[in-house]
Amino acid sequence: MEEDIHTNSSVPRIAVLVSGRGSNLEALIHAVKTQQLRAEIALVISSKSSARALDIAKAAGIPCEIVSPAQYPSRKEEGLKIVELLQTCGAQLAVTAGYSRIFDPCVIEAFRLKIINIHPSLLPAFAGSMAPGPQKRALESGVKISGCTTHFITEDTDAGPIIAQRAVPVMNDDTVETLADRILEAEHQLLPESVQMALDGRVTVEGNKTIVTSERSVYAGS
Ligand code: GRF
């Protein structure tokens, strides 16, 4: 019998939801390959059939599904399909990386505190819009520091418990593009690290905050 090269039962399975360019997906794939992220990307779900992220997933041999809003009569049915796909692929955790859809509550209920989003600002600043909205608003507001945030998805958009943040400087001569590139570089480190922390059970949610235990103290057993 032919062996399924995607099945590696010794590591947790994750799924990634995308809609566009896919550079964060690429960072996750790289982190898996270099064993900085001990997980298997079991499935990529895209809301758009034209997403470049799908090419990246296919090139890496990752199974892909398209769940586009036009295919479903309601957001609820779109959500139920997503839940079914996540459950069928055995994902312990899902990651939204440049995913442009707001989930129906049924997805959030089925995967409560098991969906991680990456946002290109230091939340709660500049919440509630897709890239490059947050980067543009950062420039317009005159902040001297911006960055990125990973957080669990809840019913309140961009307001779920924060897992980790990374700051980058805003330069005098920044354009939206140069600032977005600098933030993106930080995102590519922060997202795989955050996913690993969550898979390690190092992220405890208390109300709308998280307590993140350092790797050292976990291994020290404290
Ligand atoms: C990233 O800036 C991410 O923070 C935001 O959308 C962008 C997606 O980029 N949610 P990519 O598709 O991962 O390249």
Side-chain angles (χ1 to χ4, degrees):
M1 206 175 102
E2 202 179 318
E3 199 187 348
D4 181 354
I5 55 158
H6 303 298
T7 304
N8 179 352
S9 56
S10 62
V11 293
R13 297 180 140 219
I14 65 170
V16 184
L17 292 104
V18 294
S19 299
R21 177 179 54 186
S23 71
N24 277 290
L25 170 65
E26 221 162 8
L28 289 167
I29 293 170
H30 178 73
V32 168
K33 279 192 185 143
T34 54
Q35 297 183 334
Q36 292 164 73
L37 174 57
R38 295 177 296 280
E40 178 193 348
I41 304 174
L43 182 65
V44 166
I45 300 175
S46 176
S47 64
K48 291 185 184 159
S49 58
S50 59
R52 175 182 170 262
L54 283 171
D55 300 330
I56 294 168
K58 284 176 194 156
I62 300 168
C64 297
E65 294 279 352
I66 294 160
V67 179
S68 83
Q71 296 169 281
Y72 298 90
S74 67
R75 190 183 290 270
K76 174 90 188 255
E77 296 195 42
E78 178 191 350
L80 289 172
K81 180 65 187 175
I82 290 170
V83 170
E84 182 201 312
L85 288 171
L86 293 178
Q87 286 172 342
T88 308
C89 78
Q92 285 188 18
L93 201 74
V95 180
T96 53
Y99 183 62
S100 61
R101 300 285 298 155
I102 304 272
F103 286 128
D104 181 84
C106 72
V107 182
I108 298 166
E109 269 159 37
F111 282 81
R112 172 81 50 202
L113 302 178
K114 287 182 183 158
I115 309 177
I116 295 177
N117 181 46
I118 177 103
H119 186 82
S121 74
L122 294 176
L123 290 173
F126 317 126
S129 59
M130 284 292 295
Q135 297 94 326
K136 190 166 178 282
R137 286 160 65 202
L139 271 188
E140 285 166 359
S141 71
V143 292
K144 301 301 181 197
I145 293 172
S146 192
C148 52
T149 302
T150 52
H151 66 94
F152 288 115
I153 288 191
T154 61
E155 283 80 357
D156 301 318
T157 306
D158 295 334
I162 290 172
I163 301 168
Q165 295 186 299
R166 193 137 303 161
V168 305
V170 179
M171 308 297 198
N172 291 336
D173 58 354
D174 262 336
T175 61
V176 175
E177 289 72 30
T178 57
L179 178 59
D181 284 351
R182 195 174 307 117
I183 293 173
L184 201 60
E185 212 176 300
E187 291 183 40
H188 294 163
Q189 293 172 10
L190 192 71
L191 184 58
E193 283 172 19
S194 300
V195 173
Q196 187 62 62
M197 291 192 300
L199 290 174
D200 285 345
R202 287 162 49 204
V203 185
T204 308
V205 179
E206 289 186 3
N208 206 46
K209 292 183 186 176
T210 65
I211 310 280
V212 180
T213 344
S214 76
E215 203 164 354
R216 206 165 145 219
S217 67
V218 167
Y219 292 134
S222 56

